[in-house]
């Protein structure tokens, strides 16, 4: 039966429902399976026209209807697209019509937007701000900043690409210098309410490639909520192992100089993870503060 006026896409204004039929899709989850469909005929075409055709609408797909309008009724095709909530056409203040980029065309700009939000500590809700979108359109009328959901997905892609580059750099450093070849810094932050703690783990290694920036040879492996209530040595050791496993490293063979403060729980963590290690004690609780000139006591000797 025909769609209600409320739910109908704008393209249906130019077609009339003439019945129901069946359709066998050539792809998709119903590939090769006979399924019911709706039959529609163009209201603008005369029954005597050679282009008077009955079109099948399967699973709400209006592609065939739009193609008919685009080929035979260009003005109506444009009006239907402008009225659609999913259309990439936009009307500017001066009346000119602009077609937005496809996702593939806008991908590089989406990535730049995501990096801007992250590095400048903004919120992805910024992409919904009318003022920001107006500003963006003055720079490029064809671009609309990515939504929060799209930005979150792009962050996962960027993370995967960054880790892929990191894996390659670590492999090259390990090949050049052998084991152990990297340093490790880690610390735990606890807010005043003491309900949640956060742990940051960072790696550092030497690399001769000019393609890597300073931040890429001192990558943050993880900045996570500490998963356990008590900061025991065993809990810290489990978290450090988890961070190192993310880049396929282990404390025993790959880390030459771990840097933490001299708290007893950190010393206990390294007794669990490695028998002999030089533990450099920090002057303050700040992770990347100043170090003592002398190394701390040798743990596990």
């Amino acid at each position: 039966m025909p769609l209600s006026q409320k739910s109908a896409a704008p393209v249906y204004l130019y077609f009339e429902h003439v019945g129901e039929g069946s359709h066998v899709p050539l792809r998709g989850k119903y590939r090769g399976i006979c399924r019911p469909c709706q039959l529609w005929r163009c209201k603008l075409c005369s029954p005597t026209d050679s282009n008077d055709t009955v079109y099948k609408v399967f699973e709400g797909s209006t592609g065939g209807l739009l193609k008919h309008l685009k080929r035979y009724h260009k003005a109506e095709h444009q009006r239907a697209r402008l009225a659609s909530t999913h259309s990439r056409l936009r009307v500017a203040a001066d009346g000119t019509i602009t077609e937005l980029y496809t996702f593939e065309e806008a991908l590089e700009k989406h990535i730049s937007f995501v990096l801007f939000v992250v590095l400048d500590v903004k919120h992805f809700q910024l992409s919904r701000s009318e003022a920001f979108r107006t500003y963006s359109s003055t720079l490029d009328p064809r671009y609309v900043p990515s939504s929060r959901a799209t930005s979150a997905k792009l962050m996962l892609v960027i993370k995967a690409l960054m880790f892929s580059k990191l894996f390659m750099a670590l492999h090259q450093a390990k090949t050049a210098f052998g084991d152990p070849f990297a340093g490790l810094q880690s610390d735990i932050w606890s807010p005043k309410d003491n309900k949640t703690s956060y742990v940051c783990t960072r790696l550092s290694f030497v690399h001769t490639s000019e393609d890597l920036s300073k931040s890429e040879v001192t990558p943050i492996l993880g900045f996570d909520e500490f998963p356990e209530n008590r900061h025991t040595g065993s809990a810290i050791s489990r978290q450090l192992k988890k961070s190192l496993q993310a880049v396929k490293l282990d404390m025993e063979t790959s880390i030459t100089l771990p840097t933490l403060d001299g708290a007893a729980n950190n010393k206990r963590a390294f007794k669990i993870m490695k028998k002999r290690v030089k533990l450099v004690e920090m002057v303050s609780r700040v992770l990347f503060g100043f170090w003592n000139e002398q190394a701390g006591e040798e743990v596990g000797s």
Side-chain angles (χ1 to χ4, degrees):
M1 60 185 300
L3 300 173
S4 66
Q5 185 175 0
K6 182 178 180 180
S7 62
V11 69
Y12 286 114
L13 294 174
Y14 306 104
F15 291 82
E16 60 179 350
H17 185 255
V18 295
E20 301 191 19
S22 60
H23 176 65
V24 180
L26 299 179
R27 55 183 177 271
K29 65 178 181 178
Y30 296 118
R31 178 182 177 184
I33 302 174
C34 186
R35 300 285 295 176
C37 67
Q38 305 294 323
L39 303 179
W40 297 79
R41 175 181 281 116
C42 179
K43 296 178 182 178
L44 305 174
C45 293
S46 169
T48 59
D49 292 344
S50 59
N51 55 306
D52 179 45
T53 306
V54 173
Y55 291 90
K56 295 180 178 181
V57 173
F58 171 69
E59 295 287 305
S61 175
T62 58
L65 308 185
L66 285 168
K67 286 179 181 178
H68 174 86
L69 291 183
K70 183 177 182 180
R71 183 174 182 181
Y72 300 107
H73 315 287
K74 296 188 183 301
E76 288 76 9
H77 174 259
Q78 188 175 85
R79 282 196 288 268
R81 288 196 63 193
L82 285 170
S84 173
T85 56
H86 303 291
S87 174
R88 290 191 292 112
L89 295 182
R90 295 290 187 273
V91 181
D94 59 1
T96 58
I97 298 175
T98 302
E99 184 166 3
L100 302 181
Y101 292 119
T102 64
F103 179 80
E104 290 75 14
E105 292 172 334
L107 182 57
E108 185 176 350
K109 295 179 183 294
H110 285 333
I111 293 174
S112 296
F113 171 69
V114 169
L115 293 176
F116 157 69
V117 171
V118 172
L119 296 176
D120 212 37
V121 198
K122 303 295 185 183
H123 195 284
F124 287 129
Q125 186 66 23
L126 182 67
S127 66
R128 302 299 92 188
S129 164
E130 285 300 325
F132 182 78
R133 295 181 72 163
T134 300
Y135 169 71
S136 175
S137 67
T138 61
L139 300 178
D140 190 340
R142 297 188 62 196
Y143 178 65
V144 174
S146 55
S147 66
R148 287 186 298 174
T150 300
S151 297
K153 292 177 182 178
L154 287 174
M155 283 187 66
L156 295 177
V157 174
I158 293 171
K159 180 180 178 180
L161 292 174
M162 291 176 64
F163 266 82
S164 177
K165 187 174 183 179
L166 176 59
F167 282 134
M168 185 178 298
L170 290 174
H171 174 73
Q172 292 172 347
K174 185 174 182 178
T175 301
F177 301 106
D179 281 324
F181 69 93
L184 179 83
Q185 303 89 41
S186 185
D187 202 0
I188 299 174
W189 286 266
S190 297
K192 291 182 179 180
D193 61 19
N194 210 27
K195 293 180 180 180
T196 306
S197 299
Y198 297 91
V199 56
C200 180
T201 305
R202 190 167 195 165
L203 201 66
S204 56
F205 59 98
V206 176
H207 202 282
T208 58
S209 173
E210 296 181 357
D211 296 333
L212 296 179
S213 65
K214 183 178 180 181
S215 62
E216 287 175 321
V217 294
T218 56
I220 292 178
L221 301 184
F223 189 96
D224 308 295
E225 185 176 319
F226 197 76
E228 303 185 40
N229 293 328
R230 299 180 61 198
H231 303 166
T232 63
S234 57
I236 293 173
S237 69
R238 284 192 290 271
Q239 185 63 33
L240 290 175
K241 286 179 181 178
K242 179 182 176 182
S243 297
L244 288 172
Q245 286 170 355
V247 289
K248 296 180 171 54
L249 299 180
D250 64 85
M251 185 69 70
E252 181 66 34
T253 59
S254 303
I255 304 302
T256 180
L257 183 63
T259 306
L260 297 89
D261 61 38
N265 53 359
N266 284 327
K267 297 177 182 180
R268 176 59 183 166
F270 281 97
K271 284 183 179 179
I272 295 172
M273 296 180 69
K274 191 175 181 181
K275 290 183 178 179
R276 299 178 65 84
V277 61
K278 287 287 186 179
L279 183 64
V280 177
E281 295 191 15
M282 295 185 179
V283 176
S284 71
R285 295 287 298 177
V286 180
L287 179 59
F288 299 111
F290 297 98
W291 287 274
N292 275 333
E293 292 183 359
Q294 297 182 347
E297 64 179 285
E298 187 169 292
V299 177
S301 57

